[in-house]
Amino acid sequence: MDPVSATLMLSAASAGATGIAGYQQAKGEQEHARINSYIGRTRALQEDTGHREGLDGELGSMRATFGANQQRPNVGTLEVVNELRRVRDSERRVGVGNRNSEAADWSLRGRNAGSAARASLWKGGFKAGGSLFDLHDYRTNRGGG
């Protein structure tokens, strides 16, 4: 095999290998993003549960305090309890929303990585194709080599 043919073949092989390597790297990023998205959704559920348990504990403490002070349930105590619920529910919604937003960001990164994987594979194929066409053209014009 002459040096020009070898060079063109190696160029094609190198382009193909580069495309495959890029594909594998992007697939790894996609899997990483999928895992982080799952972790984000799990953390959102944990945050929701934590806030709800915290609210239950606070309300229990308030009821115990009202009882220790011999305050009967009335409009005033109910208003205090409702205000605490409103504030804590708002904090819970914000916290859970932030965690879900993080999970959605990771999910989007995963989709983008999947697209990048396919693009890398195509790019490597096109580069390899160019070298193979050059090799074909060289051999054809050289006299059937």
Side-chain angles (χ1 to χ4, degrees):
M1 179 181 299
D2 66 279
V4 174
S5 294
T7 302
L8 290 172
M9 285 177 155
L10 286 175
S11 178
S14 173
T18 301
I20 291 171
Y23 174 82
Q24 291 298 329
Q25 180 183 3
K27 281 302 205 178
E29 290 173 12
Q30 183 181 26
E31 181 65 13
H32 178 72
R34 186 190 65 79
I35 290 168
N36 282 338
S37 177
Y38 177 79
I39 289 170
R41 289 189 304 271
T42 301
R43 286 184 180 160
L45 293 172
Q46 290 171 337
E47 181 130 356
D48 183 52
T49 301
H51 277 284
R52 289 179 190 275
E53 288 175 353
L55 177 61
D56 288 344
E58 286 179 285
L59 292 176
S61 294
M62 287 179 66
R63 288 186 191 107
T65 303
F66 290 150
N69 290 332
Q70 297 177 350
Q71 288 180 291
R72 294 182 179 206
N74 59 36
V75 173
T77 57
L78 181 63
E79 195 58 38
V80 170
V81 168
N82 285 340
E83 180 64 16
L84 178 65
R85 256 193 200 122
R86 185 188 65 75
V87 169
R88 295 298 186 251
D89 282 346
S90 176
E91 290 173 356
R92 178 183 54 83
R93 283 191 301 273
V94 168
V96 170
N98 287 342
R99 293 296 185 173
N100 281 328
S101 178
E102 290 170 8
D105 287 345
W106 279 109
S107 181
L108 180 62
R109 288 180 191 179
R111 285 193 297 273
N112 289 344
S115 297
R118 288 185 296 278
S120 181
L121 202 56
W122 279 102
K123 184 177 176 182
F126 284 132
K127 283 185 177 180
S131 295
L132 291 174
F133 284 125
D134 289 344
L135 176 64
H136 178 272
D137 189 45
Y138 170 73
R139 286 191 170 183
T140 304
N141 290 335
R142 196 180 65 152

